[in-house]
Each structure stands twice: as C-alpha cells, then as structure tokens.
Amino acid sequence: MIFQRALRRELASAAGATFTVLFSILLTWMLIGILGKAAGGKIASSDVLSLIVFSALMQLPTILILTGFISVLMVVTRSYRESEMVVWFASGLSLRRWIWPVLSFGLPLVILTAVLSLYATPWAQKKSDEYVTRFEKREDLQKVTPGQFRESAGSNRIFFVEGSSGEKSLVHNVFVNTVDDKGAAVVVVAREGVINTDAKGERFLVLKNGRRYQGTPTQPDFQTMEFEQYIMRIESKQQDLGADLGVRAMSTMALVRDPNPFTMAELLWRVSAPLIALMLILLAIPLGFVNPRAGSSANLIVALLIFFTYSNLIKVAEASVKQGRVGFGVAWWPLHLLAALAVVALFAWRLNVNHRYHPLVLLASFKRARRSGNICKKADPK
C-alpha cells in the first residue's frame, strides 16, 4: 500500500534524525565524563576510546526506546498539524489502520533493544569493569600520569614523574614522597625508574641516579645521600578481576541460573527494556493528537514525562525486588499491563473523538457555520 510505504519511509527518516541528535548528546556527555576520569588518574588514558564504546553500548537501549517513541510521535503530530488526519478520517479510515505500519517500523527497534539489553549491554558492562579494575590493580608507578602528582593505594606515598617510555615501564625524573612508620618524611628523587620482578614474583621499584632525603631540614637528624641505584619494594596485587564484577556485568543466563534478589532485579530491568519500547511506540499513535489550528507541541513534553515516569516506576519495581519486598514473578508485568491498558484507553478515546471527522458531521458543521455567518462572504462593492 502506498500509504504504508510512505509512512514507513517518513518514520525511518524521523528515526534517523532523532537517533543522531540523541546519540550525539550522549556521546558528548560520555566523552566529558570519561576524559575527566582520565585526567584525574582514575582510568588509563589508553583505555578512553574503549570505555567510550562500552559506555555507548550500555546506553543504546535507552536511546533506541526514545528514538522509536519520539519518531512515531513526531510523524503523527505532523499529520494532525497539517490536517492530513482530517482527510484520513473524512475518508472513513480509522486510527487503528496506523497500528500495523507503525509496528512494521517499530518491531525491529524492539528486537534490537532486546538483543542489546539481554546480551550486548552485560558484555559491555563486563569489559568496562575489567578495564577499570585492571587499572586500579596496577602498581602505583604504572598508574601515574606524567606531569601529575598521584597518591598511592596505601596513602603513604606520593608519586610524580615528568615523562615515560614504552608502556610506562620506564619513567623519567621521578619524585617519591614517603611517610615511614614513625611519621618522618622520606623524599627520593631520581633520573629514571623501572619496575622489576624477581624469581618469586615480588615487584620492586628500581630508581637510578638520584638522591634520598630523610627528616626535616635544619634539624640534627636530617640526612641526605646520593645513590646510583635505590630499590623500593612494591606490594603486589592479585589480578582476580572476576570477583569484583557485579550483577550488571553477569550474562542473562547467569542471572537465571543464580536466582537471588540482586540477580532477579537486574533481570527485571533487562526484560523490561524491549517491553517499554513496544508500549511507548503504540502509545505514541493516540498521543500524537494536536489541534490543527493550535499547532501545539505540548504533547512532546507530555511524552517525555511519560517516558521518565515509566522508566522510574520500573526502577522502583527493580529496587523492590532487590530489597526482597516483591518477587520477580509478581513485579515484572503489572506496569506493562497498565501501559497496555493505557494504550487501549487512549485509542478508544481518540476513536470516539475522531467521529467528528465523519463526512456527514463535517457537512453539518459547515452548514451551521454558514448559517451563523462564520463563512467568509463576498465583499460588498461599496
């Protein structure tokens, strides 16, 4: 049908523009946050691009839900504003005829949202957690960004390096300020430093060509010495990354195999994402009504409020499952059932209101307006 092809083409065009805008805003927001963490030494600079990709994958389900919802709403609203819907109803066609073309456009988005929510998002969360955890478990000197002071994990050392070579295995112009068990400050400066591992697997920071200062200057116990090689023992950290990963990084099958309040709460959100997408796409059809003369876009604000309310209520249900107040089998479906009933109610309301667009009703309205003098008459030559 020509109408269905034209509608799908318009929906696809609106979806492309909406997705581009939303994804650009999301990408800018993520870039600012991740670059801020990299500048603060919380993540490795070399991991920035990978973390942006993983963060984008984790946010894509929400972006796709909004894309489908806003796209359908924009197209329906435009049809009302340009009086195309008046012609549609005057031709004896119902608003229900929009459901199948809209679903043929929206179902691929719903399926893609389900795939991302159930499979891609947990994988991206797992990889992102691994990158962050791996950086946190690195030795203190390897985590130092050239040109910045950084505190050690034990809060008893402050490192500063001017530059690095290779993969930060060799650093230049090293400054280390250590507070010993007695509270005395020990300052070590060296031209270069490197981390070595002995046969037992213990790690040592080897500083070369530097000086060591201990104590407070001008005090009798102040000591200074020069050295060609100075070795400091570094506490090794185990790289057991899997133990630190939370339920958000678990696969969907792992959540099903390990039923507890935390895993079931995460599963509820993953299952809800495609259902939210489907309900909002259908809800956008009756929600897109506007008065052609008024041309108001208030329905877009209402639509965003509905989206955030729907998402927050799902979060409330997720929190209830996590706290053990409600079981998964009771919590996952009531909100979606209410959304489906709201879709049916809005369709029924719009179908009833749209009876005024029947040709006989329009003709009667025209005659009444003509009798009351509201129709423009021929101008008086005088």
Side-chain angles (χ1 to χ4, degrees):
M1 188 176 178
I2 297 177
F3 162 72
Q4 293 186 4
R5 290 198 299 269
L7 180 58
R8 282 194 291 265
R9 195 160 48 242
E10 187 176 0
L11 286 170
S13 177
T18 304
F19 179 83
T20 301
V21 172
L22 293 177
F23 189 75
S24 299
I25 296 173
L26 173 68
L27 193 63
T28 303
W29 174 71
M30 289 189 305
L31 187 62
I32 293 173
I34 293 176
L35 288 179
K37 292 181 180 179
K42 297 180 180 180
I43 59 175
S45 301
S46 58
D47 297 339
V48 168
L49 183 59
S50 299
L51 290 175
I52 289 176
V53 174
F54 297 145
S55 298
L57 277 175
M58 288 185 283
Q59 299 298 329
L60 267 183
T62 303
I63 296 298
L64 289 178
I65 292 172
L66 274 173
T67 297
F69 187 30
I70 295 176
S71 301
V72 176
L73 189 70
M74 289 172 57
V75 172
V76 177
T77 300
R78 186 203 60 78
S79 299
Y80 274 105
R81 184 179 295 114
E82 297 181 4
S83 299
E84 292 182 7
M85 296 301 286
V86 175
V87 179
W88 178 267
F89 296 124
S91 302
L93 298 175
S94 171
L95 189 63
R96 289 191 296 267
R97 298 287 294 272
W98 280 67
I99 295 178
W100 171 244
V102 168
L103 281 180
S104 63
F105 156 78
L107 283 179
L109 290 179
V110 174
I111 294 173
L112 183 57
T113 301
V115 172
L116 289 171
S117 177
L118 296 175
Y119 300 102
T121 298
W123 175 83
Q125 182 69 55
K126 179 180 179 181
K127 299 299 292 184
S128 178
D129 290 349
E130 286 180 354
Y131 272 70
V132 174
T133 306
R134 185 180 296 113
F135 178 76
E136 291 176 350
K137 291 180 178 295
R138 291 169 64 181
E139 285 76 16
D140 295 325
L141 189 61
Q142 289 180 316
K143 294 164 61 176
V144 173
T145 301
Q148 292 185 359
F149 288 92
R150 182 168 182 85
E151 190 177 24
S152 67
S155 301
N156 62 339
R157 287 177 182 172
I158 296 177
F159 293 91
F160 176 87
V161 297
E162 185 176 347
S164 62
S165 300
E167 298 181 355
K168 295 190 177 182
S169 59
L170 179 65
V171 291
H172 305 284
N173 296 331
V174 185
F175 170 88
V176 183
N177 183 12
T178 305
V179 179
D180 58 18
D181 297 336
K182 299 179 181 179
V186 178
V187 178
V188 179
V189 293
R191 290 185 178 272
E192 63 181 34
V194 65
I195 295 178
N196 290 335
T197 305
D198 62 8
K200 298 181 180 179
E202 295 183 352
R203 293 183 176 270
F204 297 89
L205 171 61
V206 180
L207 301 176
K208 300 179 180 179
N209 302 322
R211 289 188 177 185
R212 180 179 183 273
Y213 305 92
Q214 182 176 2
T216 304
T218 70
Q219 297 297 323
D221 59 347
F222 178 71
Q223 299 178 5
T224 180
M225 60 174 292
E226 295 185 0
F227 58 84
E228 293 184 359
Q229 187 175 21
Y230 185 85
I231 301 177
M232 303 172 62
R233 187 177 183 276
I234 299 177
E235 183 180 356
S236 299
K237 300 179 181 179
Q238 299 296 326
Q239 294 290 328
D240 185 13
L241 303 180
D244 295 331
L245 302 181
V247 293
R248 296 184 61 188
M250 295 174 62
S251 65
T252 302
M253 294 304 300
L255 296 178
V256 175
R257 288 194 298 265
D258 183 20
N260 61 68
F262 295 97
T263 56
M264 291 297 100
E266 177 64 22
L267 183 62
L268 184 145
W269 172 251
R270 297 184 190 180
V271 172
S272 296
L275 294 176
I276 294 174
L278 178 60
M279 292 297 105
L280 291 182
I281 286 174
L282 292 175
L283 186 64
I285 300 175
L287 197 64
F289 169 80
V290 293
N291 189 332
R293 294 182 179 180
S296 175
S297 298
N299 58 345
L300 182 59
I301 300 176
V302 174
L304 292 177
L305 290 176
I306 290 174
F307 167 76
F308 287 115
T309 302
Y310 199 170
S311 300
N312 288 334
L313 288 176
I314 294 295
K315 286 294 185 181
V316 171
E318 179 185 356
S320 299
V321 174
K322 186 179 297 184
Q323 295 170 4
R325 298 178 181 177
V326 183
F328 173 81
V330 178
W332 77 270
W333 59 268
L335 285 175
H336 305 298
L337 178 60
L338 288 176
L341 293 176
V343 171
V344 174
L346 277 176
F347 264 101
W349 183 35
R350 291 306 178 197
L351 288 172
N352 183 54
V353 172
N354 288 329
H355 284 314
R356 68 179 182 271
Y357 293 117
H358 192 276
L360 296 179
V361 177
L362 290 173
L363 182 60
S365 300
F366 178 80
K367 290 181 179 179
R368 286 195 301 270
R370 188 170 184 177
R371 284 196 300 268
S372 62
N374 292 332
I375 302 296
C376 295
K377 298 180 180 179
K378 186 177 180 179
D380 189 358
K382 296 180 181 181

